[in-house]
Amino acid sequence: MKVILLADVRALGKKGDIVEVSNGYARNALLPKKLGVEATPANMNNLKLKKAHDEKVAEENLEEAKALKEEIEKWTVEVKIKTGEGGKVFGSVSTKEVVDACEKQYGKKIDKKKIVLDVPMKALGTYNLTVKLHPEVQASLKVHVSEK
C-alpha cells in the first residue's frame, strides 16, 4: 500500500514522502496514529498543492527578510547606559535593551533571539551585531552605546 507520510517516521521516511508499506502496517500503525494517509489521487493532489503553497510562503518570507535586512543595515541604534566615574559602565547592554531601543527609535520589532551578541557590550562605543533574519539572510546592526 502506498502511504503519504504526515510526519517523520524513523526508518521509513520524512514528512511528505510517498512510501510503500505493507497493508497491515499502514492500517494498524500509520493511519490510526495519523502518521500517514493513503496515497489516493485526491490526497496526492492535496500534497502537490500543499508543497506549492509552502514553497510560495517560503519565498515570501525570504523576500521579507531581504527587505528588512536592507532597512536594518541603514540603522544606528542609540542605547544609553548608566556609567560611573571615569566612564566605567555598570553591567552590560543586553539584546533586550537593543530590541527595545530599535522599537522606540524605528518602530520595528526584532526578535531578541535573532540577535547574535559575539562579545558583551561592557564599554561605551559602537558595536556591530549580527541579526539572523532567515537561514539565508543575515543583517548587520550598528549599535552605539552612550552615557545616560
Side-chain angles (χ1 to χ4, degrees):
M1 172 185 279
K2 286 193 179 219
V3 175
I4 301 170
L5 295 178
L6 299 176
D8 293 351
V9 179
R10 189 189 304 180
L12 196 57
K14 296 198 176 283
K15 179 178 178 177
D17 288 351
I18 301 169
V19 294
E20 183 76 36
V21 295
S22 69
N23 290 344
Y25 183 58
R27 288 197 181 102
N28 296 323
L30 297 178
L31 300 179
K33 293 179 183 174
K34 307 273 190 239
L35 297 174
V37 292
E38 193 172 348
T40 62
N43 287 340
M44 298 286 280
N45 190 35
N46 288 343
L47 175 67
K48 189 172 90 175
L49 292 174
K50 185 176 182 329
K51 281 186 178 180
H53 179 264
D54 290 345
E55 287 175 7
K56 183 180 176 195
V57 167
E59 184 67 30
E60 288 173 358
N61 289 342
L62 180 62
E63 292 302 319
E64 286 175 13
K66 285 180 180 178
L68 187 57
K69 174 189 176 185
E70 296 296 320
E71 192 174 337
I72 285 175
E73 290 186 341
K74 296 176 185 174
W75 296 353
T76 301
V77 179
E78 185 75 30
V79 178
K80 298 197 180 287
I81 190 167
K82 189 175 179 182
T83 58
E85 284 185 32
K88 183 155 171 73
V89 176
F90 297 117
S92 65
V93 178
S94 68
T95 55
K96 184 178 183 331
E97 293 168 315
V98 173
V99 168
D100 291 343
C102 284
E103 193 170 2
K104 274 185 190 172
Q105 295 170 23
Y106 297 100
K108 293 277 185 171
K109 184 131 179 128
I110 300 171
D111 186 7
K112 71 177 184 178
K113 295 175 187 164
K114 293 183 178 186
I115 297 175
V116 178
L117 200 59
D118 294 331
V119 294
M121 294 188 279
K122 291 187 173 187
L124 302 177
T126 304
Y127 296 87
N128 285 322
L129 304 179
T130 303
V131 182
K132 292 186 178 182
L133 301 170
H134 188 272
E136 299 173 17
V137 180
Q138 293 183 357
S140 178
L141 176 64
K142 195 180 285 184
V143 178
H144 181 73
V145 180
S146 62
E147 216 172 313
K148 236 181 205 179

